[in-house]
Amino acid sequence: MDRQKAKITYGQVDELDGLAYLNADYIEQTFSRHSHEGYCIGVISAGAQGFYHNGAEHLAPQNTIILVNADEIHTGYSATETGWSYRALYPLPQHFEHISQDLGQPEYGAPYFRQSVVKDDELAASLRHLFNTLDHSEDTLLRETLIYTTLTQLVLKHGGSRLNIKPAKGSAQSLHLVKEFLDEYPQWPISLTELAALACMTPFSLVRAFKRQFGLPPHAYQIQARLRLARHMLKRGLSIKDAAAEAGFHDQSHFHRHFKSAMGITPGHYMKHV
């Protein structure tokens, strides 16, 4: 890592009414005592970060998760000679309140995380997958689903108070309505919130109930519906590029990856056989 330069990318996603995020490589950066309006949820990609929080010094090595509640004073500094790299989300309390309402327990409000550093490989992998998706995918349904499920996973596993989640409820008619929409309009860039409204369900409940009913969550089912549409187009003689675009894939590599994963062959080999 170049000791002379820090690399920082800061931005905001559109989903969940806007959510700030950070991608940073720090070498000799030191943060004085400060606080954020929102939470700081960070996963250490490389190196180690030291920081003061809740009256004590903490060490966050690679693959651990930093949890700082909104408006809490903390610092930050490198705990290794080579610095540290991390990805972070900065959800506001109202984002978590939205999640609590979605879980059917609005009285829970925003969570309080008691631990400053947690070792949770499953959640760390979920956060990395979320960040990678935000970086490289424009799939609205996938992005929103991962934000909802990752933040929900965080609250359920590490929130200071336990939440008892009831089984997701959804009528067969509502779930089939969602399925029929995805079958008929697979190329449509619909969001999870819009699908949930169609089913008169909350987003997280829809994801769980749909997966239980059909074996896949809505975003994964949408991919399969898009692949079916693309195969029909290839059979009709459309080019791979045109079939990918018409079916809703944002580029050929995205189409190629999912096609080969599902079919075991590339779109080009498929065209030769049909």
Side-chain angles (χ1 to χ4, degrees):
M1 186 182 295
D2 186 349
R3 294 185 62 82
Q4 304 303 315
K5 295 181 180 179
K7 300 178 181 178
I8 305 168
T9 302
Y10 181 84
Q12 189 171 20
V13 300
D14 295 330
E15 293 81 6
L16 205 66
D17 299 322
L19 188 63
Y21 67 90
L22 177 74
N23 180 17
D25 297 328
Y26 291 122
I27 297 88
E28 297 177 344
Q29 178 71 42
T30 298
F31 294 99
S32 60
R33 293 193 177 195
H34 66 285
S35 64
H36 301 286
E37 180 183 6
Y39 294 74
C40 177
I41 314 297
V43 58
I44 305 296
S45 307
Q49 179 185 351
F51 64 103
Y52 170 87
H53 177 232
N54 276 346
E57 295 290 335
H58 303 276
L59 176 66
Q62 184 176 5
N63 206 42
T64 57
I65 300 167
I66 294 173
L67 300 176
V68 177
N69 297 294
D71 295 321
E72 288 187 340
I73 300 297
H74 60 287
T75 64
Y77 53 86
S78 176
T80 67
E81 291 186 357
T82 56
W84 83 98
S85 301
Y86 80 118
R87 302 296 307 266
L89 286 174
Y90 297 94
L92 298 171
Q94 54 261 40
H95 291 141
F96 278 117
E97 290 168 2
H98 192 86
I99 295 293
S100 296
Q101 292 175 359
D102 191 16
L103 294 174
Q105 300 193 33
E107 69 283 356
Y108 184 84
Y112 179 79
F113 300 112
R114 300 182 186 280
Q115 294 179 276
S116 301
V117 180
V118 297
K119 182 71 168 68
D120 185 331
D121 292 340
E122 181 183 12
L123 181 58
S126 295
L127 284 166
R128 286 193 296 269
H129 181 40
L130 170 59
F131 286 123
N132 184 64
T133 300
L134 294 179
D135 285 342
H136 302 293
S137 176
E138 298 177 3
D139 188 321
T140 304
L141 183 54
L142 173 61
R143 287 163 60 97
E144 191 175 0
T145 298
L146 290 181
I147 290 172
Y148 266 99
T149 55
T150 302
L151 290 181
T152 300
Q153 183 182 6
L154 175 64
V155 172
L156 294 178
K157 297 183 76 173
H158 299 288
S161 301
R162 301 293 296 178
L163 274 170
N164 296 316
I165 305 304
K166 299 177 182 179
K169 294 183 178 179
S171 69
Q173 182 179 3
S174 295
L175 294 174
H176 277 280
L177 186 63
V178 171
K179 179 180 179 293
E180 289 170 3
F181 180 91
L182 294 175
D183 284 333
E184 189 169 354
Y185 305 103
Q187 73 278 28
W188 191 267
I190 194 168
S191 70
L192 178 61
T193 303
E194 291 169 328
L195 277 183
L198 181 65
C200 297
M201 299 175 66
T202 65
F204 187 62
S205 293
L206 173 61
V207 171
R208 291 186 295 157
F210 192 95
K211 183 177 181 180
R212 187 174 63 247
Q213 180 76 18
F214 302 113
L216 292 171
H219 70 275
Y221 186 87
Q222 184 188 57
I223 291 294
Q224 298 307 309
R226 287 176 172 178
L227 287 172
R228 288 195 297 271
L229 177 59
R231 289 198 299 271
H232 289 310
M233 293 179 174
L234 292 176
K235 287 181 180 179
R236 297 207 321 261
L238 265 71
S239 68
I240 294 175
K241 180 180 179 180
D242 290 342
E246 290 294 326
F249 293 96
H250 66 267
D251 57 38
Q252 275 187 258
S253 63
H254 183 223
F255 173 51
H256 186 282
R257 183 172 67 255
H258 284 292
F259 194 98
K260 188 173 182 181
S261 176
M263 300 292 294
I265 59 175
T266 66
H269 287 156
Y270 179 82
M271 290 186 72
K272 290 180 181 179
H273 289 291
V274 300

